Amino acid sequence: MTVGIKDVAQQAGVSVGTVSNVLNQPDRVSTHTRRHVQEVITRLGYVRSEYARQLRAGRSRIISLLVLDMANPFFVDIARGAERAARDAGLGVMVCNSGQSPSEEADYLAHFAEQRVRGALIAPADPSGQTVRNFRRHGIPYVVVDRVTGDEEGCSVAVDDEVGGALALRHLVAQGHRRIAFVSGPPHLRQVQDRRTGALQALSEAGLSSDVLHELPAERMDVAAGRDAGARLLGLADRPTAVFCANDLLALGVLQALYAAGVKVPEDMALVGYDDIEFAAAATVPLTSVRQPAFTLGTIAAGLLLEETGPAAQDHRHQHVVLQPELVVRQSSIQ
């Protein structure tokens, strides 16, 4: 049976109000009484009802984080940053995964509204932005993560993906490559679009035609999709000499496919990823990658949300923060 606050009071021989003070205002209770009540709480295994506490306080102590793919360490690092900021503020984080699906995103945002979370951090999957607009109607503050929106209704924090795509292609062009494959992800994802745009800009800057870039689309952005793209890459009649992947998981899958086929990296084919996850440096051939400051991104996003929902909320002004990527050069792209 569930142990309630009345059971604790009865076993401790004190009033319900005293138990409540021990939990919420311990300074109002003598040290002896506080220790006695805490011993009873431990012995009975009492856990306070957060739901009841939220009803009394009129607001939740939980913020939600909806990411595109929890299998991607990039989003894990965002979650770590958000969790650190929230925990420092005495709040918890509920992390959910849309799986890059707009319909699942809509379902989760509806769930957040039902739970009346304190606020939400959202890495959008819906390119139209309709699910976020629907969520806005509930009056719950939110911050868009990993995409800059310019939205007047909420903050956003992202890394400049056009700059990142350009960094990758400038590096490969500087290494002498003139036939380059781009292993992309789902075309509805703005991040994929921006990385492709940046890559094409770098080619234009170098006086090269867009035909230099051969796109190999991938339905998902995971290792399995990378292996599939690698197999298609190997089947091309005019095989590229370099590959730029829209994230590191795709790049690691491509690397596996090339290794299995006896294609040497970087001697036969150079390879560049995106995100600079921990596994990039630990790959069989250490992976050149465009680094995103994921932990910092999560920390800033949560900080903006906490500011908007905190004591000084009336002074909050929506911000749109753009962080800069960095190219980390390793063995996979230089000879």
Side-chain angles (χ1 to χ4, degrees), residues 27-324:
D27 292 342
R28 299 183 62 178
V29 184
S30 69
T31 301
H32 173 76
T33 301
R34 186 168 65 247
R35 287 177 178 171
H36 174 59
V37 171
Q38 287 172 338
E39 288 172 359
V40 173
I41 288 172
T42 301
R43 175 161 51 85
L44 295 181
Y46 168 75
V47 178
R48 75 172 101 190
S49 170
E50 181 60 27
Y51 177 70
R53 184 178 180 179
Q54 289 177 193
L55 287 177
R56 291 192 299 271
R59 67 188 319 180
S60 172
R61 295 177 62 249
I62 298 295
I63 64 175
S64 57
L65 169 61
L66 181 59
V67 301
L68 292 172
D69 184 7
M70 275 306 295
N72 187 340
F74 167 71
F75 289 107
V76 174
D77 286 342
I78 288 178
R80 287 177 52 243
E83 190 272 341
R84 173 66 60 82
R87 187 171 183 177
D88 288 346
L91 303 178
V93 178
M94 173 173 62
V95 182
C96 299
N97 177 35
S98 72
Q100 305 171 20
S101 165
S103 62
E104 290 195 27
E105 174 181 273
D107 290 343
Y108 273 120
L109 291 181
H111 177 66
F112 296 162
E114 290 173 0
Q115 296 297 315
R116 303 303 300 176
V117 296
R118 187 187 191 98
L121 306 175
I122 307 167
D126 181 3
S128 72
Q130 187 60 51
T131 55
V132 174
R133 286 194 292 272
N134 292 341
F135 182 70
R136 180 186 304 154
R137 300 171 188 167
H138 300 286
I140 299 174
Y142 65 87
V143 175
V144 173
V145 180
D146 198 29
R147 184 187 300 175
V148 173
T149 64
D151 188 349
E152 295 181 358
E153 301 294 329
C155 295
S156 63
V157 185
V159 176
D160 193 325
D161 283 318
E162 290 191 14
V163 169
L167 286 173
L169 261 291
R170 286 191 195 113
H171 171 67
L172 291 174
V173 168
Q175 297 296 309
H177 298 286
R178 297 297 183 268
R179 296 193 311 279
I180 303 170
F182 174 49
V183 179
S184 62
H188 68 267
L189 293 181
R190 180 63 179 271
Q191 296 89 333
V192 172
Q193 297 172 15
D194 287 350
R195 291 166 198 178
R196 180 179 182 275
T197 297
L200 292 174
Q201 287 175 349
L203 292 178
S204 177
E205 291 169 4
L208 299 173
S209 166
S210 60
D211 293 340
V212 168
L213 196 68
H214 181 95
E215 186 167 357
L216 292 169
E219 292 184 359
R220 298 187 62 81
M221 298 177 73
D222 54 24
V223 174
R227 285 195 296 267
D228 174 71
R232 285 182 282 141
L233 175 69
L234 292 168
L236 294 176
D238 190 14
R239 186 182 294 178
T241 61
V243 189
F244 169 43
C245 296
N247 76 0
D248 285 342
L249 296 182
L250 288 169
L252 292 173
V254 169
L255 181 61
Q256 289 179 4
L258 297 179
Y259 181 82
V263 176
K264 296 180 180 179
V265 175
E267 292 86 354
D268 299 328
M269 193 172 297
L271 182 62
V272 174
Y274 203 104
D275 290 338
D276 195 34
I277 62 176
E278 183 177 356
F279 301 129
T284 305
V285 180
L287 182 65
T288 293
S289 184
V290 178
R291 175 179 293 166
Q292 299 200 79
F295 186 90
T296 300
L297 195 156
T299 302
I300 292 174
L304 290 171
L305 187 62
L306 294 171
E307 180 184 287
E308 186 175 357
T309 60
Q314 68 277 4
D315 298 324
H316 174 79
R317 297 293 181 271
H318 294 319
Q319 301 178 48
H320 302 286
V321 180
V322 181
L323 305 176
Q324 294 302 306

